[in-house]
Amino acid sequence: MILMRLAVVQTNPVFGEVRNNLAAALAMMERERADLYVLPELFNTGYNFIDRNEVQKLSEPVPGMTSQSMAAFAKERNCFVVYGFAEKSEGIFNSAALVGPEGVVGVYRKVHLFDRENLFFTPGDRGFPVFDLPIGKIGIMICFDWMFPESARSLALNGAQLIAHPSNLVMPYCPDAMVTRCLENRVFAATTDRVGRENRGGFDLSYKGMSEIVSPRGEILRRLGTDKEEIAVLEIDLEAAKNKKINSQNDLIANRRVDQYSLQ
Amino acid sequence: MILMRLAVVQTNPVFGEVRNNLAAALAMMERERADLYVLPELFNTGYNFIDRNEVQKLSEPVPGMTSQSMAAFAKERNCFVVYGFAEKSEGIFNSAALVGPEGVVGVYRKVHLFDRENLFFTPGDRGFPVFDLPIGKIGIMICFDWMFPESARSLALNGAQLIAHPSNLVMPYCPDAMVTRCLENRVFAATTDRVGRENRGGFDLSYKGMSEIVSPRGEILRRLGTDKEEIAVLEIDLEAAKNKKINSQNDLIANRRVDQYSLQ
């Protein structure tokens, strides 16, 4: 058994208030001990950008102010954190960083950009990475990636036992769909959404909350509410995600029949 | 608009009573006019085989008695029928035939065999075919194929507007998971399950019913009950499945990023 304490940290960031959003998230994280904290997509900047200039201004490199604060927390608590942010690099990416006691472990860049994100961000270019940590094998995808079954499937085939899934959900489908994603891949998932509303530049977005932890058997182990900041911590056994057999005959990974598919 | 009348025919076959099961299904079909009738997996034989000899004895070639009866019905009513049966060929396959006014249009052979089916059937070897009919483009998968996202994805990429999905469900997950399958591929699906129980050779199987028609937007347009034979007919517009755009920026097929996936 690899027992680990997994936290989903459902926040309500204020657009553009990077330092305050970071401080608010850390305050919530300090209330609960965990081995891995998963925060929302773009948790420090807010989501509803009006133009590319705003994204440029609020983005930051890695390492940067946010990664350093998270790394300090991770070092003090001997834990890991996955959080979404706007990554300033050779482009600006909608990214999620994985930070641990030694600093930045890796970054995932969102592959499937949603709606107006396409106007502001560069599409991810590093596939779906899985990080082999002492607590288990952690894969990352971001929000709308859920809608493409190839995302979670790639993570599972890359060895993920848990999918950390920072999100800013504006459509209603994801929380139930993640049950299917976990069932079909026999993995855990931690979908961390935000709550609140951002009405900017004529675009009025309300975030759905409902952050959740789902098991490889498709059980919703915990689902948060739709309108409050909240942190949930569960102890889970990531070993359960190694067993892809659902009966004596069927292994959901080994039984894939790639030669029969038409996936190009 | 391609308006078509789609029927799911939830039956309760008696194991081994091929002629009676066929007659009972036809009697239900005669009560409702439709352009396409979808019947359960192995609707004429029953499901819970004890050994390969039973499968051998109850299987039939195409054309065969069942396809000829269905073709006669299809000719008289000018319609199409998809039904599951044990196909006697160079192996014995868990297959579904598509029959129309001119006879057999095509056969799909189940690619992902469930549990003890692996002891009795040869795995499908013809991929996921889509049939271009006057009523629209119809793809076929069978029961457990749902659990592999590659099945419905292959059908969608092969052009299916509707997935005809004969099933014999013994696990509880499929009816909700089909919402995800339809959402992610923007297709209609008609999952036709059976009801009843088969307790044979020490294996006691209860079938879940809950046959359903789901829209490309993930709406459950109709879901049947868990314990009764029942037929449901809906008029649907298959054109809706041609539009893969969910907002001005996102097309769920065009936005796939095959170079970023790890699917081997």
Side-chain angles (χ1 to χ4, degrees), chain B residues 13-155:
Chain B
V14 178
F15 187 88
E17 305 280 338
V18 173
R19 281 175 189 280
N20 291 345
N21 295 332
L22 172 58
L26 284 167
M28 290 176 72
M29 293 157 70
E30 275 161 12
R31 294 209 306 266
E32 298 278 356
R33 191 179 67 73
D35 298 305
L36 174 65
Y37 298 82
V38 181
L39 277 72
E41 180 183 16
L42 296 167
F43 91 100
N44 57 348
T45 58
Y47 178 85
N48 199 359
F49 297 99
I50 290 174
D51 58 34
R52 214 178 153 82
N53 282 344
E54 280 191 344
V55 184
Q56 180 80 36
K57 202 160 58 186
L58 293 169
S59 63
E60 59 176 277
V62 177
M65 192 265 287
T66 300
S67 76
Q68 280 154 3
S69 299
M70 287 298 179
F73 178 88
K75 185 168 187 179
E76 189 188 312
R77 302 282 181 128
N78 191 33
C79 68
F80 294 88
V81 184
V82 172
Y83 64 88
F85 71 111
E87 181 193 3
K88 185 176 293 186
S89 181
E90 68 276 18
I92 302 180
F93 298 92
N94 183 340
S95 293
L98 169 62
V99 169
E102 320 278 317
V104 177
V105 177
V107 171
Y108 164 70
R109 294 171 167 175
K110 190 175 187 178
V111 164
H112 304 99
L113 296 174
F114 179 68
D115 206 354
R116 296 176 72 246
E117 294 169 31
N118 286 281
L119 309 177
F120 311 138
F121 291 103
T122 306
D125 54 359
R126 297 185 178 175
F128 291 89
V130 173
F131 303 98
D132 193 357
L133 305 182
I135 54 172
K137 294 186 178 174
I138 311 300
I140 305 177
M141 65 184 191
I142 298 178
C143 200
F144 187 53
D145 285 326
W146 76 263
M147 201 156 195
F148 297 79
E150 293 87 351
S151 311
R153 191 57 127 195
S154 294
L155 290 171

Side-chain angles (χ1 to χ4, degrees), chain A residues 115 127 181 184 250 260-261, chain B residues 112 115 127 181 184 250 260:
Chain A
D115 206 353
R181 294 286 171 260
E184 69 201 13
N250 291 120
Q260 298 294 310
Y261 304 151
Chain B
H112 304 99
D115 206 354
R181 294 285 170 261
E184 69 201 12
N250 291 120
Q260 298 295 310

Side-chain angles (χ1 to χ4, degrees), chain A residues 100-116:
Chain A
E102 319 279 318
V104 176
V105 177
V107 171
Y108 164 69
R109 295 171 166 176
K110 190 176 187 178
V111 164
H112 304 99
L113 297 174
F114 179 67
D115 206 353
R116 295 175 72 245

Side-chain angles (χ1 to χ4, degrees), chain A residues 93-166:
Chain A
F93 298 92
N94 182 341
S95 292
L98 169 63
V99 170
E102 319 279 318
V104 176
V105 177
V107 171
Y108 164 69
R109 295 171 166 176
K110 190 176 187 178
V111 164
H112 304 99
L113 297 174
F114 179 67
D115 206 353
R116 295 175 72 245
E117 294 169 31
N118 285 281
L119 308 177
F120 310 138
F121 292 102
T122 305
D125 55 0
R126 296 184 179 177
F128 290 90
V130 173
F131 303 98
D132 194 356
L133 304 182
I135 54 172
K137 295 187 178 174
I138 311 298
I140 306 177
M141 64 182 192
I142 300 180
C143 202
F144 188 52
D145 284 327
W146 76 262
M147 204 159 192
F148 297 80
E150 292 88 351
S151 310
R153 190 59 125 192
S154 294
L155 290 171
L157 290 170
N158 288 340
Q161 296 166 311
L162 165 68
I163 296 177
H165 184 209

